[in-house]
C-alpha cells in the first residue's frame, strides 16, 4: 500500500511539473505576439529588436525544458 501511494505521488508530481511546458508555450506566444505588434507599429525599429526577441524566446524555452527535465527525473529517477 505504501509503495502504491509513493508511486501515485511521483506521477502527480511529474504531472504538475509538466504544467511548466504549457507555461513556456504561453510565454513564447506572448513574446512573439508583442514583438509582432511592436514591429507593425514601428517597422524601422524591428530589425534592432530581433536579437531581444530570440533571447526572450530562448529564456522561455529554457524554463520549459527545465520543467520537462524535472518531470522526467520525478518519473524515472526518484
Amino acid at each position: 500500500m505504501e509503495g502504491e501511494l509513493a508511486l501515485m505521488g511521483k506521477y502527480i508530481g511529474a504531472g504538475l511539473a509538466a504544467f511548466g511546458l504549457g507555461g513556456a508555450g504561453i510565454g513564447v506566444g506572448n513574446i512573439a505576439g508583442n514583438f509582432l505588434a511592436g514591429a507593425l507599429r514601428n517597422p524601422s525599429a524591428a530589425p534592432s529588436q530581433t536579437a531581444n526577441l530570440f533571447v526572450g524566446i530562448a529564456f522561455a524555452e529554457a524554463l520549459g525544458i527545465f520543467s520537462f527535465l524535472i518531470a522526467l527525473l520525478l518519473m524515472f529517477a526518484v
Side-chain angles (χ1 to χ4, degrees):
M1 181 71 179
E2 239 176 76
E4 293 174 3
L5 188 62
L7 186 65
M8 182 181 67
K10 184 167 66 166
Y11 288 144
I12 289 173
L16 290 175
F19 276 117
L21 296 172
I26 291 170
V28 169
N30 193 11
I31 291 167
N34 286 333
F35 173 77
L36 184 59
L40 289 175
R41 285 186 185 169
N42 190 0
S44 63
S48 65
Q49 296 299 318
T50 306
N52 292 337
L53 169 73
F54 290 127
V55 168
I57 288 174
F59 282 141
E61 283 296 323
L63 289 175
I65 291 169
F66 180 68
S67 68
F68 180 64
L69 175 67
I70 295 298
L72 287 178
L73 284 173
L74 284 172
M75 285 186 64
F76 298 114
V78 175

